[in-house]
Amino acid sequence: MGDRSMINSEDFAGPPRQSADLHAVGNSNHVFAILATIQATLIFTIVMIGVPLPAIGLEFQLIQADLLLVSAAYGLPFSGLLLFGGRLTDRYSGRKMFTWGMLIFGLASLSGMFAPIY
């Protein structure tokens, strides 16, 4: 049996990867811009469901409690589809699913924004 105290983790670490660290720092501004866009889009969609709620209540003769259910009916599929999107990201490429998700979500938000009636 040899002396095991002579083996340390630096023997197996390999050369330092400085290029990967520089690459990650360079993309941090892009990542922040993407995340800020996502957050702004999410806030817009939440506000978008709140704007027509009084008109929806008048049209369908709903009380305040029913209007709360309308906004919950928006949030429940949203959270379920968020979990489904996480599963798709695990199964397929994260970047690919992120790109498709942002494209679909952006187009849906734009179509909602330009809709003439609710």
Side-chain angles (χ1 to χ4, degrees):
M1 301 253 173
D3 185 19
R4 293 173 80 69
S5 65
M6 303 207 46
I7 298 174
N8 59 27
S9 62
E10 293 177 7
D11 294 334
F12 301 102
R17 295 188 292 170
Q18 294 177 353
S19 62
D21 293 337
L22 292 175
H23 182 67
V25 171
N27 282 337
S28 65
N29 290 335
H30 297 289
V31 170
F32 180 75
I34 289 171
L35 291 175
T37 304
I38 292 169
Q39 185 65 32
T41 307
L42 288 174
I43 290 171
F44 172 73
T45 57
I46 291 168
V47 169
M48 188 173 74
I49 192 64
V51 170
L53 277 179
I56 291 171
L58 289 174
E59 180 78 24
F60 294 105
Q61 299 172 352
L62 301 175
I63 60 173
Q64 280 299 111
D66 294 334
L67 292 176
L68 182 64
L69 290 175
V70 169
S71 57
Y74 173 78
L76 190 60
F78 181 79
S79 60
L81 289 172
L82 189 64
L83 291 172
F84 179 64
R87 175 66 180 125
L88 287 176
T89 300
D90 289 342
R91 185 171 178 130
Y92 303 106
S93 166
R95 182 173 291 196
K96 182 187 213 179
M97 290 295 107
F98 177 77
T99 304
W100 276 104
M102 284 302 294
L103 180 69
I104 292 169
F105 190 69
L107 290 174
S109 294
L110 275 174
S111 66
M113 185 173 76
F114 291 117
I117 58 172
Y118 295 106

